[in-house]
């Protein structure tokens, strides 16, 4: 690798082939750059006369916000796309934990750059702290295809992989319907809604869209009297009642809420 002074306008920020992180705050980094400048140069490679970021998206986006240009960068020379990606992977792996969404991006791009699935499970899952089974490969690949707003929610709320696994069973259009119900709730209540929706869907051979189209639920959703949290709580209880009708009747007879 060699060091160069690089202008921001020479970097193709539309080319995200090596990027694994999308949901982050630049607040602390901006303060740091203002105080001491950029002391850890990003990695770039050169393709068709343009420079492409290999590692350092946060740093470069922060420099862009501050109009800090040019800055020092290291050019990765003579590497395949997989080798370049692994430079970015190990640089980040050594310094921090990856979120589930980042893990899904890493796995997807390892496959994209030519790694075999068996090799990913054997060599990379231990580094990513993922159980060494093909089932988890499927879950993380499904997560990599989730809608951007859902990925952001999973990342910000640090949603457990068990809930991600349930969301992977939903169709894309159903995940979009469920997301507003999950947003105001705790993780335990989020999991309860997902479990109940899946069980009701299996038992009655319904889609999530059909379940949520029930008159009782639509009345809750359309009511201006309830906050988003109140709507989610009421729908959670309604789904519980539909999944456990006998238990719900017993609770009601004792005036349980």
């Amino acid at each position: 690798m060699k060091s160069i002074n690089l202008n921001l306008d020479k970097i193709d920020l539309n080319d995200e082939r090596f990027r694994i992180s999308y949901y982050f705050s630049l607040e602390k980094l901006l303060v740091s750059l203002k105080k001491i400048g950029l002391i850890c140069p990003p990695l770039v490679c050169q393709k068709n006369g343009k420079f492409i970021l290999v590692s350092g998206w946060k740093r470069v986006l922060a420099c862009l916000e501050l109009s800090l240009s040019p800055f020092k960068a290291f050019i990765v020379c003579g590497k395949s796309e997989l080798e370049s990606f692994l430079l970015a992977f190990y640089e980040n792996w050594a310094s921090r934990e990856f979120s589930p969404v980042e893990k899904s991006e890493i796995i997807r791009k390892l496959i994209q750059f030519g790694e075999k699935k068996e090799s990913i499970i054997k060599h990379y899952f231990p580094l990513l702290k993922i159980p060494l089974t093909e089932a988890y490969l499927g879950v993380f690949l499904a997560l990599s295809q989730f809608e951007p707003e859902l990925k952001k929610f999973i990342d910000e709320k640090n949603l457990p992989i068990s809930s991600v696994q349930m969301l992977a069973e939903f169709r894309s259009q159903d995940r979009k319907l469920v997301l507003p119900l999950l947003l105001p709730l705790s993780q335990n209540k989020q999991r309860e809604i997902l479990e109940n929706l899946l069980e009701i869907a299996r038992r009655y051979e319904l889609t999530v869209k059909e379940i949520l189209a029930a008159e009782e639920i639509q009345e809750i959703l359309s009511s201006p009297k309830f906050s988003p949290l109140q709507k989610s709580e009421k729908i959670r209880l309604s789904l519980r009642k539909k999944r456990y009708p006998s238990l719900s009747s017993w609770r009601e007879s004792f005036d349980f809420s």
Side-chain angles (χ1 to χ4, degrees), residues 92-111:
N92 284 277
W93 176 81
S95 60
R96 64 185 181 87
E97 294 286 334
F98 294 114
S99 71
V101 174
E102 289 173 327
K103 291 177 184 181
S104 75
E105 285 296 312
I106 290 166
I107 292 167
R108 182 178 69 84
K109 289 186 176 179
L110 284 170
I111 293 173

Side-chain angles (χ1 to χ4, degrees), residues 81-94:
E81 288 191 328
L82 176 59
E83 290 171 328
S84 296
F85 180 70
L86 289 177
L87 287 175
F89 168 71
Y90 281 108
E91 180 190 29
N92 284 277
W93 176 81

Side-chain angles (χ1 to χ4, degrees), residues 47-62:
K47 302 280 185 182
N48 302 320
K50 276 282 190 179
F51 289 98
I52 299 169
L53 270 176
V54 175
S55 179
W57 275 93
K58 285 177 69 173
R59 283 164 279 168
V60 170
L61 291 176

Side-chain angles (χ1 to χ4, degrees), residues 71-169:
F71 52 78
K72 183 179 287 188
F74 288 120
I75 300 181
V76 177
C77 303
K79 300 285 187 183
S80 69
E81 288 191 328
L82 176 59
E83 290 171 328
S84 296
F85 180 70
L86 289 177
L87 287 175
F89 168 71
Y90 281 108
E91 180 190 29
N92 284 277
W93 176 81
S95 60
R96 64 185 181 87
E97 294 286 334
F98 294 114
S99 71
V101 174
E102 289 173 327
K103 291 177 184 181
S104 75
E105 285 296 312
I106 290 166
I107 292 167
R108 182 178 69 84
K109 289 186 176 179
L110 284 170
I111 293 173
Q112 176 184 323
F113 295 137
E115 279 284 21
K116 301 296 184 184
K117 293 180 178 179
E118 297 80 5
S119 175
I120 292 171
I121 294 171
K122 181 178 179 180
H123 298 295
Y124 298 99
F125 274 24
L127 300 178
L128 296 172
K129 299 180 181 178
I130 300 174
L132 307 184
T133 67
E134 194 165 344
Y136 277 95
L137 179 70
V139 172
F140 280 98
L141 286 176
L143 171 55
S144 74
Q145 300 302 315
F146 280 7
E147 303 71 32
E149 62 271 22
L150 183 55
K151 285 184 179 180
K152 184 177 181 181
F153 166 71
I154 291 168
D155 194 84
E156 289 178 347
K157 299 297 184 181
N158 195 27
L159 209 67
I161 198 63
S162 57
S163 294
V164 173
Q165 195 165 7
M166 285 188 281
L167 282 165
E169 297 187 45

